Amino acid sequence: MEILQTAFMQRALIAAVLVGITAPAIGIYLVQRRQALMGDGIGHIAMTGVGLGFLLNSSPVWMATLIAVVGAVTMELIRAYGKTRGDIALAMLFYGGMAGGVLLINLSDTGSNANLSSYLFGSLSTVSDSDVTAICLLAAFVVLVTVGLRKQLFAVSQDEEFARVTGLPVRVLNLLIAVTAAVTVTVAMRVVGLLLVSALMVVPVAAAQQITRSFKVTFVLSVVIGTAVTLSGTVTSYYEDVPPGATIVLMAIGVFVVLTALATPLARRRARTLATAEAATCTAEVPDARRSADKAIV
């Protein structure tokens, strides 16, 4: 295939697969915690890391990871301990991160607004070998946490008080979710972009929830959807010369719309099946009740 003969598309496809796996994998916990927009806030903060990477002539991916992790931990601490002024502190953190990134990248000798745009909205041609190495390492960490600790993370995401009563280290797990979300943002920024990564964390999960009932099935299906839309969006971007991040997100929303349309007839079918099963159970129980009554009369 032509698309596999170019080195930059090989790197882009590898990154796309890893993004498709990791974003929904952590996104399902954020959705459970009603923190769907957390990825968007981390993306704003990570911009400062990108700008700092250009200013210091170091890897923007690793620098963005460091800044994003610090920002995510700060966000979690504000959420846990901040009172009525917590939302203002978070707003200042988000907007300060974005402003810092723009300023730092313009102060650097190697950076420009064009470089910043590729990190904001994603770019296939700028994914380097070092980026792929960093993305692979970071993605391995995300998968290890989200799969290896899925029971603990699900418990703390579903009900913090119950998790605390059962003896789970709630504060540590909350911080781990925040750090993993930050790492995921930096994994996805080269393909989807910092401003759109939150959508890839949330939309595949929301789409899977339309037709699934259990956490395990939702997890698997959301990862499948995420991988499918990132791969198809990347391929479409190559052939049609359209922005990869926007294409991937719109495809994910399209999947959500389709599954939402299918959810209603599926729900009706489940209801009919359940009603039929209950009717059959009642029919089977009636003769037994009659036999017991006849014996009592005799």
Side-chain angles (χ1 to χ4, degrees):
M1 293 177 64
E2 177 190 349
I3 192 173
L4 297 178
Q5 293 176 357
T6 55
F8 79 90
M9 278 307 300
Q10 294 173 5
R11 295 191 294 267
L13 289 171
I14 293 173
V17 171
L18 296 176
V19 170
I21 294 171
T22 56
I26 186 61
I28 191 170
Y29 300 107
L30 298 181
V31 172
Q32 288 289 120
R33 292 159 62 89
R34 293 178 175 83
Q35 294 179 331
L37 295 179
M38 184 177 183
D40 188 51
I42 296 174
H44 285 69
I45 298 169
M47 286 177 60
T48 294
V50 172
L52 195 60
F54 278 102
L55 184 65
L56 300 177
N57 291 320
S58 61
S59 170
V61 174
W62 287 113
M63 191 60 68
T65 302
L66 175 62
I67 299 300
V69 167
V70 173
V73 170
T74 304
M75 288 170 59
E76 177 57 31
L77 294 177
I78 291 174
R79 185 191 72 85
Y81 299 106
K83 302 299 181 183
T84 57
R85 313 296 289 183
D87 57 337
I88 297 177
L90 288 175
M92 293 176 64
L93 190 64
F94 298 164
Y95 301 140
M98 179 179 288
V102 174
L103 179 63
L104 290 173
I105 202 167
N106 280 279
L107 290 175
S108 67
D109 296 328
T110 57
S112 65
N113 288 331
N115 297 124
L116 185 60
S117 179
S118 69
Y119 285 90
L120 290 177
F121 303 105
S123 176
L124 300 181
S125 60
T126 57
V127 180
S128 63
D129 290 330
S130 61
D131 289 336
V132 172
T133 301
I135 290 171
C136 289
L137 293 174
L138 295 172
F141 168 78
V142 174
V143 171
L144 183 64
V145 171
T146 55
V147 176
L149 297 175
R150 62 187 182 279
K151 294 181 179 179
Q152 294 88 338
L153 296 181
F154 173 76
V156 77
S157 299
Q158 192 73 11
D159 190 338
E160 283 192 12
E161 293 303 322
F162 176 77
R164 187 173 287 108
V165 169
T166 58
L168 290 175
V170 172
R171 185 174 301 174
V172 174
L173 291 173
N174 283 336
L175 289 173
L176 185 59
I177 290 175
V179 169
T180 307
V183 171
T184 304
V185 167
T186 56
V187 168
M189 69 180 182
R190 302 301 282 133
V191 176
V192 185
L194 291 172
L195 295 184
L196 297 174
V197 63
S198 183
L200 197 58
M201 289 182 175
V202 175
V203 178
V205 177
Q209 287 179 334
Q210 302 304 307
I211 59 173
T212 59
R213 292 296 177 267
S214 70
F215 176 82
K216 181 178 180 180
V217 176
T218 302
F219 185 98
V220 173
L221 183 57
S222 62
V223 169
V224 170
I225 293 172
T227 305
V229 296
T230 51
L231 278 176
S232 57
T234 301
V235 172
T236 302
S237 176
Y238 173 77
Y239 284 110
E240 301 298 330
D241 193 23
V242 291
T247 305
I248 290 169
V249 170
L250 289 176
M251 284 186 171
I253 293 175
V255 173
F256 172 81
V257 172
V258 171
L259 293 184
T260 301
L262 293 175
T264 300
L266 285 174
R268 290 174 181 172
R269 183 177 178 180
R270 287 194 190 101
R272 285 196 299 268
T273 303
L274 182 60
T276 303
E278 290 178 349
T281 302
C282 293
T283 303
E285 290 177 352
V286 168
D288 293 338
R290 263 183 201 163
R291 283 194 294 268
S292 299
D294 290 342
K295 288 181 182 178
I297 293 173
V298 174

